[in-house]
Amino acid sequence: MIEMLNVSKKYSNGITAVNNLSVKIEQGEFVYIVGPSGAGKSTFIKMMYREVKPTSGTVQVGKYNLSTMKERDVPLLRRFVGVVFQDFKLLPKLTVYENIAYAMEVVEKSPKVIQKRVLEVLDLVGLKHKVRMFPNELSGGEQQRIAIARAIANMPGVLIADEPTGNLDPDTSMEIMRILEEINNQGTTILMATHNSQIVNDIKHRVLAIENGRIVRDQQEGEYGYES
Ligand code: ADP
Ligand code: ADP
C-alpha cells in the first residue's frame, strides 16, 4: 500500500528532517507514528500526500509513484489519501453538510451521490443531527468528527491523522479513536502521528518511532515508549 525507499528531505534552510528512511505499510494496517518534537514525523507524513516532496528516494502510495507522478495527477492522489489535522481545518463559513459536500464537489461527484454519502459519513461519526450547524457551534470533539467524515467522504485507501487528539480531552480522544478503529476495520489504512501515550499503550497497533529523521523502532502491537 505504502512504500518509502531511502527517502530524505532536506529543507532549504539546511535542516534534514527525514534521513534515508525506508518503510513498508500494508493495506489495512493501523500505524502510530511517535517520537520527540522536531523528529520529522510531520515531514514524513506530508510526503505521503505530496505536501512535501522528498529531496531523494522514492515514495509509492497505492498505485501512485509520487516521485514520477505528474503535477496534474496530484488531485487523484489527494482523493486516495484523506487527511485529518490537530486543528480540524473546517471551513468556518460553511455548514457541516457543506464542508463535507465541498470535498466531494471538487472531485465532481453528482449531487445525488454527494447527498447520500454526506449523510452516510455523518451517520458513521454519529453527527447526522448536526448537519445544518456551523463549525463554531460544535465542540472540539464534534469538529474533529466532522473533519474525519470529510476526510473519508471520497472513500480514500489511506487516512492520515496528524495529532488528531492533540486538542481534545481524554474521553473525547477515546471517541475519536473508536471512530478511527471503525474506519480501519472497514479496510482503510491508517497512519496516525501522536503524542498520546495512553492511546498508543491502550489501543495496540504497530508503532513507528522516528528520531532525527530515521525510524529507530518498528514494533507490532508496540508501546509509546517515551516519558509522557
Ligand atoms: P521547501 O524546501 O520544501 O521548499 P521551505 O524550506 O521553502 O520548503 O519551507 C517552506 C516554508 O516553511 C518556508 O516559508 C519556510 O520559511 C517555513 N519554515 C522554515 N522553517 C520552518 C520550521 N522549522 N517549521 C515549519 N516551517 C518552517
Ligand atoms: P515533528 O513533526 O516530528 O515535530 P517536523 O517534520 O515538523 O517534525 O520537523 C522536522 C525538522 O524539520 C525540524 O527541525 C523542523 O524545524 C524542520 N522543518 C519542518 N518543516 C520545515 C520547513 N517547512 N522548512 C524548514 N524546516 C522545517
Side-chain angles (χ1 to χ4, degrees):
M1 166 70 47
I2 296 173
E3 189 164 8
M4 285 196 174
L5 203 60
N6 304 120
V7 170
S8 296
K9 172 63 186 178
K10 185 175 180 178
Y11 286 108
S12 47
N13 59 1
I15 290 178
T16 298
V18 167
N19 193 350
N20 197 31
L21 183 155
S22 298
V23 69
K24 212 169 168 173
I25 295 166
E26 304 295 343
Q27 180 169 1
E29 279 197 85
F30 194 129
V31 183
Y32 293 120
I33 317 294
V34 305
S37 290
K41 301 182 296 296
S42 295
T43 302
F44 172 74
I45 272 183
K46 285 176 180 167
M47 289 195 288
M48 308 272 181
Y49 54 102
R50 262 242 314 214
E51 177 69 23
V52 167
K53 272 186 176 182
T55 318
S56 59
T58 58
V59 181
Q60 178 90 25
V61 178
K63 65 178 180 183
Y64 303 100
N65 180 333
L66 278 61
S67 316
T68 57
M69 78 187 295
K70 297 193 174 67
E71 212 54 51
R72 66 164 184 268
D73 290 332
V74 171
L76 292 174
L77 170 73
R78 300 272 166 89
R79 260 177 243 190
F80 185 71
V81 182
V83 188
V84 174
F85 305 94
Q86 177 170 5
D87 59 356
F88 325 132
K89 296 199 195 297
L90 296 172
L91 297 167
K93 291 188 173 149
L94 301 186
T95 65
V96 163
Y97 184 93
E98 290 162 350
N99 262 279
I100 301 169
Y102 181 72
M104 300 186 72
E105 281 157 10
V106 298
V107 305
E108 290 168 5
K109 291 281 182 356
S110 75
K112 224 177 139 179
V113 169
I114 291 177
Q115 190 179 33
K116 180 164 176 282
R117 182 65 179 158
V118 170
L119 295 176
E120 203 172 272
V121 291
L122 278 176
D123 202 28
L124 191 140
V125 301
L127 290 177
K128 227 172 170 175
H129 56 295
K130 305 270 175 165
V131 62
R132 289 171 203 287
M133 300 271 190
F134 286 90
N136 68 4
E137 299 176 294
L138 303 174
S139 69
E142 288 171 338
Q143 289 185 55
Q144 191 59 295
R145 281 147 74 185
I146 301 302
I148 292 170
R150 177 179 62 179
I152 61 167
N154 291 319
M155 301 188 173
V158 182
L159 180 63
I160 289 180
D162 197 351
E163 293 272 1
T165 66
N167 286 335
L168 306 175
D169 64 58
D171 286 349
T172 310
S173 299
M174 275 303 166
E175 272 171 34
I176 295 297
M177 286 310 294
R178 272 195 289 276
I179 292 167
L180 294 180
E181 290 284 311
E182 184 167 344
I183 293 166
N184 180 238
N185 287 335
Q186 292 176 6
T188 307
T189 307
I190 298 192
L191 265 70
M192 171 172 158
T194 186
H195 284 114
N196 194 319
S197 57
Q198 196 201 334
I199 284 177
V200 175
N201 292 334
D202 285 359
I203 306 171
K204 291 282 188 178
H205 290 296
R206 181 177 175 187
V207 172
L208 293 179
I210 297 183
E211 293 178 20
N212 299 315
R214 292 189 165 95
I215 292 176
V216 295
R217 175 161 54 100
D218 181 353
Q219 194 178 20
Q220 298 294 331
E221 313 268 306
E223 68 262 8
Y224 184 70
Y226 297 94
E227 299 291 324
S228 45

